[in-house]
Amino acid sequence: MIGDTAQTTEAESIGSDTTLLLVDDDAPFLRRLARAMEARGFAVDIAESVAEGLAKARARTPKYAVVDMRLQDGNGLDVIEAIRERRDDTRIIVLTGYGNIATAVTAVKLGAIDYLAKPADADEVFAALTRKPGERAEVPENPMSADRVRWEHIQRVYEMCERNVSETARRLNMHRRTLQRILAKRAPR
């Protein structure tokens, strides 16, 4: 009985249009998230590349979308733009393993409603997709470390320099090879 009530509440928060497009090049993560979202009442379609995401977004523009920022064949922001061109009420979440403020701002300007860093679980994604307008996300329990703040700053400057490593290194007064090593690593926690 309790499980039925939870599923009813989840279905009510989704609405009548349950279409969800998931775009991510991490196939195991994509399949797990797709199963979890289907269990919560979404009609899920998946894409593993920008090209596939663009094709699916244009063929049937979803009410909900979860798009990875960096994909093997390009930038997930292209998929967000394609969705927004066709439908302005789509609730879009950007997921990425390379979270930084500059790309979060760009994603929101293009129409994303939230920005989650990987590894995000299905509950976080569902909460972000179904959050009411004006409702605030919970404050994270663990604030960013000093290493993470430094990494965020480097990413912001890198994006401002249009992903030009030499110009970013010059602006940060850093050796180019050192910067390349930092950019190649995952974001610190």
Side-chain angles (χ1 to χ4, degrees):
M1 283 299 221
I2 294 172
D4 291 340
T5 305
Q7 283 185 335
T8 303
T9 304
E10 287 177 348
E12 289 171 358
S13 61
I14 295 171
S16 60
D17 187 349
T18 62
T19 56
L20 169 64
L21 175 62
L22 301 176
V23 184
D24 199 312
D25 56 1
D26 180 351
F29 172 78
L30 183 64
R31 286 191 296 275
R32 274 193 318 272
L33 185 59
R35 282 192 304 270
M37 293 296 111
E38 284 173 346
R40 286 169 172 81
F42 286 101
V44 179
D45 198 2
I46 62 172
E48 293 186 30
S49 66
V50 171
E52 191 179 355
L54 290 171
K56 290 188 176 189
R58 289 178 180 141
R60 183 172 183 216
T61 309
K63 171 68 176 166
Y64 299 92
V66 178
V67 182
D68 189 9
M69 181 67 75
R70 293 195 182 147
L71 299 158
Q72 294 292 330
D73 64 336
N75 193 322
L77 295 176
D78 296 336
V79 177
I80 294 171
E81 283 184 300
I83 291 171
R84 277 291 172 243
E85 287 172 4
R86 290 178 162 40
R87 188 170 181 172
D88 63 356
D89 68 332
T90 299
R91 299 185 55 81
I92 304 170
I93 305 298
V94 174
L95 264 185
T96 186
Y98 306 93
N100 70 58
I101 295 166
T103 51
V105 169
T106 303
V108 170
K109 284 182 179 177
L110 289 174
I113 61 166
D114 209 340
Y115 186 90
L116 300 174
K118 285 183 179 179
D121 65 19
D123 291 333
E124 291 173 304
V125 172
F126 182 80
L129 284 171
T130 58
R131 191 172 293 122
K132 303 285 184 259
E135 188 178 350
R136 294 181 183 197
E138 291 183 27
V139 176
E141 292 177 22
N142 302 325
M144 279 196 274
S145 67
D147 288 336
R148 179 62 187 235
V149 172
R150 176 179 178 255
W151 190 86
E152 291 276 348
H153 175 68
I154 290 169
Q155 290 293 323
R156 186 171 44 254
V157 174
Y158 183 53
E159 292 294 329
M160 284 177 13
C161 294
E162 297 178 355
R163 307 174 71 73
N164 181 316
V165 174
S166 297
E167 177 63 17
T168 304
R170 187 186 65 71
R171 288 188 186 186
L172 293 171
N173 196 24
M174 178 183 288
H175 194 278
R176 191 175 56 79
R177 286 192 184 138
T178 302
L179 177 62
Q180 286 176 316
R181 280 193 294 274
I182 292 169
L183 293 172
K185 291 180 182 178
R186 287 190 172 269
R189 297 236 176 239

